[in-house]
Amino acid sequence: MLDRHEITKNWLPRYTGMPLDGFGDYILLTNFRHYVVKFAEKFGCDIQGENRPMQSATNSNGLTIINFGIGSANAATIMDLLSAIQPKGALFLGKCGGLKKSTEIGHFILPNAAIRGEGTSNDYFPAEVPALPSFKLHKFVSEKILEHGHDYRTGVVYSTNRRIWEHDEAFLQKLKKTTSIGIDMETATIFIVGHYNVIARGALLLVSDVPLTPEGVKTEESDQQVTQRWADSHLQIGIDAMTEIGEKGEKIKHFLY
């Protein structure tokens, strides 16, 4: 391998099972295999990479969806690998915990920024560099949310590598001081590594639990209820946004700070 680009061109198909020419110009990223299954069923396209770490599918409109798994390390990996094809935009469809009384299960969050509590992003930029989405991409996504008849919240989300923190009182107090609206594991990483790789990026998060209350901590049963009620809308908003943005949206060219 002569350089970084040669590595990513080799590893993107290796991780996803999708040849380089099989990827579209716009990408949906998710943590959930069933989002890929629903996407493939909707468009009658094949799922690639069933025996690989990441499953993917591309429809006839040139939109690709990828299940990259869970956690900031995986988020960084897929954003690095996507540099092999330099997509015109990538939107993360993830779930998060709601941290405000005004943020209820089933609400959508379109984050203005993310706090880099996950640590992975420190390998790309100093701590002073903010984790931000691409504004024009988010502007277009916001229009699609409203077209679908949903409201949404904006604010800062906190991204962490920790998965079991709900009963750590010191961490809870730290969260409250950040005034974050939600908490997840990947958004800050996607924003920072997207910036590093000159990829326009965004995140549309679905509130799946309210972990600051004991009865609000996510369980298998409660997560299934959220999926049954809101996952279809979540996915469809992402599909519509990333299908139409190339034709109707403003140019979302990425600029370095």
Side-chain angles (χ1 to χ4, degrees):
M1 300 291 181
L2 297 178
D3 56 27
R4 187 176 188 274
H5 188 58
E6 288 297 317
I7 293 174
T8 59
K9 286 198 301 181
N10 182 274
W11 286 13
L12 181 58
R14 172 187 166 200
Y15 273 67
T16 64
M18 178 89 71
L20 291 177
D21 60 5
F23 289 89
D25 288 332
Y26 294 93
I27 308 293
L28 290 174
L29 298 173
T30 185
N31 307 121
F32 315 113
R33 185 183 180 279
H34 62 268
Y35 274 37
V36 179
V37 172
K38 284 180 176 291
F39 181 95
E41 290 175 348
K42 178 179 179 65
F43 294 106
C45 51
D46 295 331
I47 297 176
Q48 307 293 327
E50 290 283 20
N51 61 342
R52 305 293 177 98
M54 302 176 182
Q55 297 78 50
S56 59
T58 300
N59 68 14
S60 59
N61 293 320
L63 176 64
T64 296
I65 188 169
I66 302 170
N67 167 30
F68 65 85
I70 295 174
S72 61
N74 283 341
T77 297
I78 190 58
M79 292 304 287
D80 273 338
L81 297 183
L82 285 176
S83 66
I85 58 169
Q86 282 299 301
K88 294 179 179 178
L91 178 66
F92 172 45
L93 301 177
K95 292 179 181 176
C96 70
L99 300 178
K100 299 286 189 182
K101 292 181 179 179
S102 60
T103 307
E104 301 175 2
I105 292 175
H107 282 167
F108 290 113
I109 293 178
L110 200 58
N112 305 102
I115 295 174
R116 298 166 55 187
E118 25 67 84
T120 304
S121 60
N122 294 339
D123 289 328
Y124 295 84
F125 284 112
E128 295 85 355
V129 178
L132 302 174
S134 300
F135 172 78
K136 291 180 180 178
L137 192 155
H138 265 201
K139 179 183 175 184
F140 195 78
V141 174
S142 72
E143 296 172 0
K144 294 300 153 188
I145 298 171
L146 297 178
E147 286 180 13
H148 278 262
H150 295 281
D151 196 6
Y152 66 94
R153 306 288 188 267
T154 60
V156 175
V157 297
Y158 189 98
S159 294
T160 178
N161 267 334
R162 296 187 62 181
R163 192 60 193 91
I164 309 297
W165 51 263
E166 286 82 354
H167 299 286
D168 184 333
E169 189 60 34
F171 186 74
L172 293 175
Q173 291 304 314
K174 177 182 177 180
L175 274 182
K176 291 178 181 179
K177 289 180 180 179
T178 69
T179 69
S180 299
I181 192 172
I183 181 168
D184 82 334
M185 302 180 74
E186 298 91 9
T187 297
T189 314
I190 287 171
F191 288 176
I192 281 290
V193 186
H195 176 48
Y196 182 87
N197 287 302
V198 198
I199 298 172
R201 68 278 167 197
L204 176 59
L205 306 178
L206 173 62
V207 178
S208 59
D209 59 322
V210 282
L212 294 189
T213 59
E215 66 277 9
V217 176
K218 186 187 298 185
T219 64
E220 176 70 21
E221 182 180 0
S222 68
D223 189 51
Q224 286 181 357
Q225 292 174 355
V226 170
T227 297
Q228 291 170 1
R229 243 184 119 173
W230 290 289
D232 286 347
S233 293
H234 193 199
L235 177 59
Q236 191 60 53
I237 292 169
I239 289 170
D240 289 352
M242 299 308 282
T243 299
E244 298 177 22
I245 192 169
E247 297 178 0
K248 301 178 182 178
E250 298 179 64
K251 191 175 182 181
I252 55 173
K253 180 175 174 59
H254 177 104
F255 293 96
L256 295 176
Y257 300 119

